[in-house]
Amino acid sequence: MPELPEVQAHAERLTDQFRGAVLTGFVPFNFTALKTVLPSPKTAYGNPLLGVGRRGKYLLLDFGAVHFVIHLMQGGRLLVDDKQSPKPRNGQARFAFADGPALLLTEAGRERRAGVWCVATDALAGPPLDRLGPDALDYNGATLAAAFTADNMRLHGFLRNQRHIAGLGRMLANEVCHRAQLSPFAMTGKLGAVGAAAVVAAIHDAVAEGLAYERARSDMSSSADRPGRVHHRVGEPCPVCAATIRSVSYSGYTVAYCPTCQTSGKVLADNTTSKFLK
Ligand SMILES: [Zn+2]
């Protein structure tokens, strides 16, 4: 899933390419693509795109009175659409402009979870963005320490929870834990001010690396391409200490970590996979 660096860099690219383009049409290709009824997307017709922003992992297309809020989920992409074919492959919705290419929301696979919300600009504090906590880059040591104390849970789970901290996903949760030299299973309530400060520094470090990579590209990377120290590197040597990167797998994702850097050498196990981790 695209995370903060990928979405941020994509917003910047789209702003560069589409700012000022006048919206002439919004065309959903199936009934799940548009998640809202009011206001009508037609409210934005005739308005220029003022810019594309980001909140958490959402893209925000700003047309003045209304914003289109887009979540790409796992397989969604918002692509420059030169062809504008009547039935685009994997097409979910299209934004057509008075001149130049359109923007096409696509989603690979059958899940149909990516979507578009048309939201009055003065209602942006409501759904769907109201479920987001503070942006990952807006936390400081003190505010994160307070949030850790308020919700005592595994660090990896906290970092992936958009209500607690917005913009990180499975990859950055792994990368942040590694850079902070903390176990993904560390309980947030025990991390204290020192642990929170280490996590804030790790977030900025991991996001900066991802942004530098992503801003050098002309399109959004896929997960396997992104730079990382532990994510997608299970079985490889840790770039810090050369120990072998290990993992604990869950149905939807993999927690990757370095035992030497993060868990005092302890191999993490859970009930479902421990027998495979020998
Ligand atoms: Zn290591």
Side-chain angles (χ1 to χ4, degrees):
M1 180 182 290
E3 301 180 24
L4 192 163
E6 295 78 42
V7 177
Q8 177 64 36
H10 199 49
E12 293 168 5
R13 275 191 293 270
L14 294 175
T15 297
D16 286 346
Q17 193 167 354
F18 284 87
R19 180 162 41 202
V22 174
L23 188 73
T24 55
F26 173 81
V27 182
F29 291 107
N30 68 60
F31 68 92
T32 61
L34 182 63
K35 309 291 188 187
T36 46
V37 177
L38 290 171
S40 164
K42 290 179 180 168
T43 310
Y45 290 8
N47 292 3
L49 178 65
L50 301 180
V52 180
R54 177 193 63 80
R55 271 280 284 131
K57 296 185 242 180
Y58 291 84
L59 288 163
L60 278 70
L61 275 57
D62 179 2
F63 287 97
V66 297
H67 280 63
F68 289 91
V69 178
I70 300 171
H71 201 301
L72 301 174
M73 296 304 296
Q74 190 72 30
R77 293 292 181 269
L78 187 62
L79 304 172
V80 177
D81 182 15
D82 291 306
K83 288 196 235 162
Q84 302 191 42
S85 90
K87 285 188 178 175
R89 187 163 178 265
N90 294 329
Q92 298 297 305
R94 174 182 282 138
F95 298 87
F97 297 97
D99 299 298
L103 280 172
L104 179 66
L105 176 67
T106 65
E107 185 176 20
R110 295 184 177 186
E111 286 201 56
R112 298 284 177 261
R113 297 175 65 206
V116 179
W117 290 255
C118 185
V119 182
T121 296
D122 59 12
L124 281 174
L129 301 178
D130 58 342
R131 58 179 286 276
L132 299 181
D135 198 79
L137 295 177
D138 290 341
Y139 268 113
N140 60 40
T143 54
L144 188 60
F148 278 172
T149 305
D151 285 288
N152 186 33
M153 59 193 288
R154 285 175 170 178
L155 176 59
H156 199 276
F158 183 98
L159 294 172
R160 285 184 289 108
N161 188 318
Q162 303 304 299
R163 291 179 187 275
H164 292 322
I165 178 167
L168 310 182
R170 296 161 193 171
M171 171 165 186
L172 283 175
N174 284 332
E175 296 297 319
V176 167
C177 290
H178 182 260
R179 282 161 210 251
Q181 297 191 296
L182 291 169
S183 168
F185 291 177
M187 297 305 290
T188 54
K190 293 185 175 173
L191 291 179
V194 173
V199 171
V200 167
I203 289 169
H204 282 264
D205 191 43
V207 168
E209 183 179 86
L211 266 177
Y213 174 77
E214 208 64 28
R215 281 174 172 154
R217 295 176 57 99
S218 59
D219 61 349
M220 190 179 275
S221 66
S222 62
S223 163
D225 296 335
R226 290 168 203 155
R229 298 184 184 175
V230 289
H231 196 75
H232 285 306
R233 295 192 181 280
V234 176
E236 297 180 25
C238 169
V240 173
C241 74
T244 301
I245 304 294
R246 309 212 44 148
S247 66
V248 183
S249 292
Y250 294 91
S251 58
Y253 62 99
T254 298
V255 175
Y257 67 101
C258 170
T260 305
C261 290
Q262 295 177 253
T263 58
S264 307
K266 182 169 172 268
V267 172
L268 300 177
D270 70 282
N271 291 337
T272 54
T273 59
S274 58
K275 61 179 180 284
F276 302 116
L277 280 173
K278 298 269 164 61

